[in-house]
Amino acid sequence: MAHFIACGEPSLLPTHIAFLRYVNRTLDSLKHDAAQILANFFCFQPNIDRNGRSFCEEDILSSSAKDLMTAMGSECCLEAQDWSSREKNFGDKECPQAVFNALDTMLKDSLDRLKMMRESISLAKIGLQGYTCNYNYAEHATLIRCLCLEGKLGAGLLLRVKMMQKGFLPDVFTHNHLINGLCKVGLMEKADWLIRDMIELGPSPNRTTYNIFIKGYCLVNNIEKALYLFSTMGNVGIQPNRVTCNTLVHALCKKGLLKEANKLLEEILNDDDEKNLQDLVTSTIFMDGYFKNGSIIRGLSLWDEMLQKGTKVDVVAYNVLIHGLCLSREINLAHGYACQMLKKGLLPDVFTYNTLINALCKEGKINDAIYIFRVMSKMGIMPDQISYKIMIQGSCFNGDVPKARKLLLCMLDNSMVPKPLIWNLIIDCYGRCGDLKRAFCYRDLMLAFGVLPNVYTYNALIHAQVKSGNIYHAYSLKEDMQSKGLYPDVVTYNLLIGAACNLGHLHFALHLHDEMLQRGYEPDMITYTELIRGHCIRGNMNEAEEIFAKMQKCGFLNDHVPVQILFNKYCKLEEPVMAFNLYQEWLTTKHYGRLLHPLQTHCGGGFEAFSCIYVTLEELARRKGANMIS
């Protein structure tokens, strides 16, 4: 019994267990009796009991035989009572040999029975192990695929290693799931290692493996590596198919390489496919590429070509067409194709409506966008988060805060909790309107629905406080922001520095600037402009000039506002020479000498700014009686 357990035998039936226990007891009894008989046989000492009386060997043999028969039973052993009977004359000198013969016979019979039992159990074990191995292989392979779909790639790779350690190699279908999961998250080095492992150990990669790997490189914008993989497919005897073609063509079109995409298409497809060179997917990809590159005519001509060939266009093709027309601001034409789509029995999806709504909002046609939004709901297409975001954003940009608020409440009624971006739009819109009460009210409502404010939320609230002149409340919001584990950004510091400078609190503005540098943020043009404004308000012209020189070193001269601030301050101080020198230095700057020439600066405010500067300088020169401008 102990031998079976040590060998890892499977569970035995109760009858087997009982039989093994019986055999163990029998063998123990045989060993004990044999040892006693041998001792009596070879040691010629009289048998003496406790009282010193001797008893005969015949009594020992008789009692031992009876005990043996009781332990074994007549079913599983020889009839030992024939040998133990007094009628067999065990007392004579032939008796020991007869006993040994009986013991040998019983022991041999028991060992033969054990051998037969072990062989039968081993055969059963082999069959059970084969079934279990097949079951475990299928179960583990399925589990690896499920883990990959859930994004648990580490667990899937670990299970693959354990399977291989047990001598089971997952099939290529399971390996493709692992490679696809790695490519989706951008772990291309891991995917490359896995494919090399497949080539070395098996199973060999197939066409699907290469298609997944090529798509992964296209997703990480490494089109060169994807093309190299495509060129090596023929070396291993794998022919590319339509999926390979469409993946590479889509990647090239995204980069604007439409000519290269056409050449690649002709290279991949065989001569037999020349009549039907492009299928629906390929034509849709090319049409999308033409529209995104601004070639609206080529895009429409490709659409007409598809219809002439009798290609059955689907909703995706119409969506690409409508989106391309909206990018080209051909909204009326896009709306016409949407109506044509309905006439052909194709129901627009949420992407179709979102495209039209977004184009109308960008054009400022909020009422038309609301009409499309209502038609969308009546057609049974429920608006999603993107639909509401577009509508709320368009309403806020056009200053229609009540409409944006109604849309937000409609989302909440439909059990759609908005993302922080939508909340921030409403809060910022109320803050710009000066309605601090409603801005903080929606911040509290945001928290009530379990949406945590982010840096942009606090920046919107700080901007609202700054606009109302509450610099201390704005600073307390920054402190509250830090207590929530959020760190202020450059926009936060610029808002506070600008508010402090406007109120004349230059020391506080400089303190915020130092704190900004300590946190590792680099000041931008707005930071320097606000500090220049603060120094000019306090009359610290030397410090303002130093900051302006620092801006020049950093390359922040893309705006005329800092120059206008300094110029206006010098004019108020009646320092025309300093004002003219500043103006002349600005003009001689390489960047602005090209950008702000009167013949080139009719847009963006540059020409108007310099016209004012000329007029102001002439007025100052007239006052001083000096002709400063040639």
Side-chain angles (χ1 to χ4, degrees):
M1 182 68 175
H3 177 71
F4 279 86
I5 295 174
C7 293
E9 296 293 341
S11 301
L12 301 177
L13 296 175
T15 56
H16 295 164
I17 296 174
F19 177 75
L20 291 176
R21 289 177 179 173
Y22 157 74
V23 171
N24 286 336
R25 289 197 302 268
T26 304
L27 293 176
D28 291 340
S29 177
L30 286 173
K31 288 189 292 182
H32 175 73
D33 293 340
Q36 189 172 2
I37 292 171
L38 288 174
N40 293 331
F41 181 77
F42 289 105
C43 298
F44 299 97
Q45 295 180 0
N47 297 300
I48 303 173
D49 60 2
R50 293 180 181 179
N51 298 323
R53 294 176 299 179
S54 64
F55 53 92
C56 65
E57 185 177 302
E58 181 181 358
D59 295 334
I60 296 174
L61 293 175
S62 178
S63 62
S64 299
K66 290 179 181 179
D67 293 338
L68 184 61
M69 289 185 340
T70 304
M72 296 180 61
S74 61
E75 295 181 359
C76 301
C77 63
L78 295 175
E79 295 293 335
Q81 57 265 34
D82 296 335
W83 297 96
S84 61
S85 174
R86 291 182 181 273
E87 297 177 355
K88 297 297 180 180
N89 297 322
F90 276 5
D92 58 14
K93 55 185 178 182
E94 293 183 359
C95 291
Q97 185 63 36
V99 172
F100 283 128
N101 291 337
L103 292 175
D104 289 341
T105 303
M106 288 185 289
L107 182 60
K108 184 177 180 300
D109 184 63
S110 299
L111 293 176
D112 290 339
R113 290 175 182 271
L114 287 174
K115 181 181 177 182
M116 292 175 60
M117 181 182 293
R118 181 163 182 83
E119 288 177 354
S120 63
I121 292 174
S122 299
L123 290 174
K125 178 185 175 184
I126 292 172
L128 183 62
Q129 281 182 343
Y131 175 77
T132 305
C133 292
N134 292 333
Y135 175 75
N136 289 338
Y137 172 80
E139 183 183 17
H140 290 167
T142 304
L143 183 57
I144 290 175
R145 295 193 286 268
C146 292
L147 290 172
C148 293
L149 293 176
E150 294 176 1
K152 301 176 181 178
L153 300 174
L157 290 171
L158 181 61
L159 186 57
R160 170 185 174 270
V161 173
K162 289 185 177 181
M163 288 183 66
M164 295 177 66
Q165 289 175 351
K166 293 182 178 180
F168 303 119
L169 188 64
D171 56 6
V172 67
F173 183 62
T174 306
H175 276 85
N176 288 343
H177 271 75
L178 288 168
I179 295 171
N180 186 45
L182 293 171
C183 291
K184 280 185 176 180
V185 296
L187 298 176
M188 302 308 299
E189 293 181 359
K190 280 276 188 182
D192 183 65
W193 164 81
L194 186 58
I195 291 178
R196 293 178 185 274
D197 210 22
M198 291 174 65
I199 296 173
E200 181 178 355
L201 302 176
S204 299
N206 57 9
R207 185 161 52 191
T208 305
T209 312
Y210 275 92
N211 286 342
I212 293 172
F213 204 31
I214 289 172
K215 184 179 180 181
Y217 276 113
C218 292
L219 289 175
V220 297
N221 204 22
N222 193 348
I223 186 65
E224 292 81 8
K225 186 67 175 180
L227 291 172
Y228 171 76
L229 285 173
F230 161 71
S231 63
T232 59
M233 289 179 69
N235 299 335
V236 293
I238 298 176
Q239 291 295 327
N241 59 358
R242 288 276 184 180
V243 177
T244 319
C245 165
N246 292 335
T247 302
L248 292 172
V249 166
H250 184 246
L252 290 171
C253 288
K254 283 179 68 176
K255 285 182 169 290
L257 304 174
L258 297 174
K259 292 183 179 179
E260 290 78 0
N262 273 308
K263 291 180 181 179
L264 181 66
L265 180 66
E266 296 175 359
E267 180 182 348
I268 293 178
L269 299 181
N270 298 325
D271 294 335
D272 296 337
D273 298 328
E274 190 173 359
K275 295 181 180 179
N276 189 20
L277 191 62
Q278 298 179 8
D279 62 351
L280 177 61
V281 178
T282 314
S283 300
T284 304
I285 292 172
F286 273 106
M287 186 171 59
D288 183 59
Y290 288 136
F291 281 125
K292 287 182 177 179
N293 285 320
S295 302
I296 183 174
I297 298 176
R298 296 194 66 179
L300 289 174
S301 63
L302 181 57
W303 173 263
D304 294 336
E305 183 181 347
M306 291 168 61
L307 296 179
Q308 290 175 2
K309 289 182 178 181
T311 306
K312 293 183 179 180
V313 293
D314 56 0
V315 177
V316 177
Y318 267 105
N319 285 341
V320 170
L321 176 64
I322 293 170
H323 182 258
L325 292 172
C326 289
L327 286 177
S328 304
R329 295 190 174 183
E330 297 288 344
I331 301 177
N332 293 330
L333 190 58
H335 188 269
Y337 277 107
C339 296
Q340 183 187 99
M341 182 179 179
L342 286 169
K343 292 178 181 178
K344 288 189 175 183
L346 295 174
L347 185 65
D349 56 8
V350 66
F351 183 83
T352 315
Y353 287 109
N354 287 344
T355 303
L356 293 172
I357 292 171
N358 187 44
L360 291 171
C361 287
K362 284 183 178 180
E363 294 292 326
K365 301 177 180 180
I366 301 298
N367 293 329
D368 295 339
I370 292 175
Y371 172 76
I372 298 293
F373 187 82
R374 291 174 180 172
V375 169
M376 176 181 180
S377 302
K378 291 180 180 179
M379 294 293 293
I381 308 297
M382 293 300 298
D384 58 0
Q385 289 263 4
I386 298 176
S387 309
Y388 281 104
K389 173 197 164 187
I390 295 170
M391 289 298 304
I392 292 174
Q393 194 171 14
S395 300
C396 290
F397 285 166
N398 285 274
D400 197 347
V401 191
K403 191 165 292 184
R405 179 179 63 86
K406 288 181 180 179
L407 289 167
L408 176 63
L409 296 177
C410 184
M411 287 186 70
L412 297 175
D413 291 338
N414 292 328
S415 300
M416 296 175 62
V417 180
K419 294 182 179 179
L421 175 62
I422 298 178
W423 294 97
N424 294 341
L425 287 171
I426 301 290
I427 293 171
D428 182 65
C429 201
Y430 275 118
R432 292 179 184 274
C433 296
D435 195 344
L436 288 175
K437 183 178 179 181
R438 293 198 176 218
F440 280 94
C441 177
Y442 278 93
R443 192 277 306 268
D444 297 337
L445 187 63
M446 176 183 183
L447 289 169
F449 277 91
V451 182
L452 296 178
N454 53 21
V455 179
Y456 305 102
T457 313
Y458 279 97
N459 285 344
L461 294 172
I462 290 172
H463 181 256
Q465 294 284 11
V466 166
K467 193 172 182 180
S468 300
N470 302 325
I471 179 64
Y472 297 106
H473 292 298
Y475 187 77
S476 65
L477 282 172
K478 185 186 83 72
E479 298 296 324
D480 182 63
M481 177 182 181
Q482 292 175 330
S483 65
K484 297 293 191 301
L486 299 174
Y487 296 99
D489 58 0
V490 177
V491 177
T492 312
Y493 282 106
N494 286 344
L495 289 171
L496 294 172
I497 290 172
C501 290
N502 289 331
L503 295 175
H505 303 314
L506 185 59
H507 179 73
F508 183 55
L510 293 174
H511 169 73
L512 290 169
H513 174 260
D514 295 338
E515 181 182 331
M516 179 181 179
L517 293 175
Q518 290 175 1
R519 289 188 176 275
Y521 295 117
E522 290 293 333
D524 57 5
M525 186 177 63
I526 298 176
T527 313
Y528 288 121
T529 302
E530 294 297 337
L531 289 175
I532 290 173
R533 189 194 306 276
H535 281 295
C536 289
I537 291 175
R538 298 291 294 271
N540 303 329
M541 301 308 296
N542 291 331
E543 289 80 359
E545 288 276 4
E546 290 178 1
I547 295 175
F548 182 72
K550 193 173 183 180
M551 284 184 67
Q552 289 178 319
K553 290 181 181 179
C554 297
F556 292 124
L557 281 176
N558 295 325
D559 193 18
H560 59 272
V561 176
V563 181
Q564 278 188 303
I565 292 172
L566 289 169
F567 182 84
N568 291 335
K569 185 61 180 179
Y570 279 125
C571 291
K572 288 182 180 179
L573 295 175
E574 296 186 354
E575 294 286 346
V577 176
M578 297 296 295
F580 181 74
N581 290 338
L582 175 68
Y583 161 71
Q584 197 70 21
E585 180 184 355
W586 190 32
L587 278 184
T588 54
T589 304
K590 181 180 179 180
H591 186 72
Y592 274 91
R594 181 181 73 253
L595 180 63
L596 294 175
H597 192 277
L599 297 178
Q600 298 175 349
T601 54
H602 294 284
C603 61
F607 181 74
E608 292 80 359
F610 269 92
S611 298
C612 296
I613 289 175
Y614 271 110
V615 173
T616 307
L617 284 175
E618 288 178 355
E619 179 64 26
L620 284 174
R622 200 176 293 112
R623 288 183 188 177
K624 294 288 185 177
N627 188 11
M628 299 183 58
I629 301 179
S630 58

